[in-house]
Amino acid sequence: MNNNNQRSSLVTYNHITYLLYVLSYFTAGLLWIVPIFMNYAKRREADGTWLATHFDWQIKTFWYSIVWFVVGVGIITFALGSFGVSMMADSGNIAVGSVLLASLGFIIMGVTFIWHLYRIVRGWIALADGRPVP
């Protein structure tokens, strides 16, 4: 396959992975894992081209989103899990603390959601314009 055909194929491939990331919002995240495997599968074919930035961008977006989402869920679980529920039953003051801590977890998850969507949209626009992402 010549260079132009390979580049065109990788551009189309990246469009598909960006689309799958967007569709994952409508499938409760079930499609979220598919594009990360796709990115790792074709990443090396883009080495040395501007398209490599899109593969790296999507991979980093995925992993940072996972980490921050897990942090948010962890905080919520700690605050409202069995430990938090038992504390809420014992003291009204601690209940407020548990709710505030859980709120922090929800804020982290919300910001992660918005950041992830921003990165997907920004990357997809750059791809459509034929530009690398930072």
Side-chain angles (χ1 to χ4, degrees), residues 10 35 49 52 58 83 91 99 109 115:
L10 289 175
T49 71
Q58 290 181 45
F83 184 60
S91 166
V99 170
M109 288 174 56
W115 178 81

Side-chain angles (χ1 to χ4, degrees), residues 5-86:
N5 285 343
Q6 182 181 15
R7 185 177 16 212
S8 176
S9 172
L10 289 175
V11 167
T12 301
Y13 194 83
N14 264 290
H15 279 295
I16 292 168
T17 56
Y18 280 120
L19 174 64
L20 288 172
Y21 275 121
V22 170
L23 290 177
S24 73
Y25 284 98
F26 303 102
T27 63
L30 295 176
L31 283 178
W32 210 26
I33 198 76
V34 174
I36 192 65
F37 280 111
M38 291 175 67
N39 280 314
Y40 277 115
K42 293 278 191 174
R43 180 185 199 181
R44 293 295 159 227
E45 291 181 29
D47 281 350
T49 71
W50 63 273
L51 288 165
T53 64
H54 287 277
F55 284 95
D56 290 342
W57 179 266
Q58 290 181 45
I59 289 168
K60 288 176 186 174
T61 299
F62 174 85
W63 287 113
Y64 283 123
S65 296
I66 289 287
V67 167
W68 283 108
F69 189 82
V70 168
V71 167
V73 168
I75 290 171
I76 293 166
T77 302
F78 176 75
L80 299 178
S82 61
F83 184 60
V85 170
S86 66

Side-chain angles (χ1 to χ4, degrees), residues 4 6 19 43 45 71-73 76 101 103 106 108 112 116 121 129:
N4 285 337
Q6 182 181 15
L19 174 64
R43 180 185 199 181
E45 291 181 29
V71 167
V73 168
I76 293 166
L101 190 58
S103 297
F106 282 113
I108 289 170
T112 301
H116 181 269
V121 169
D129 291 343

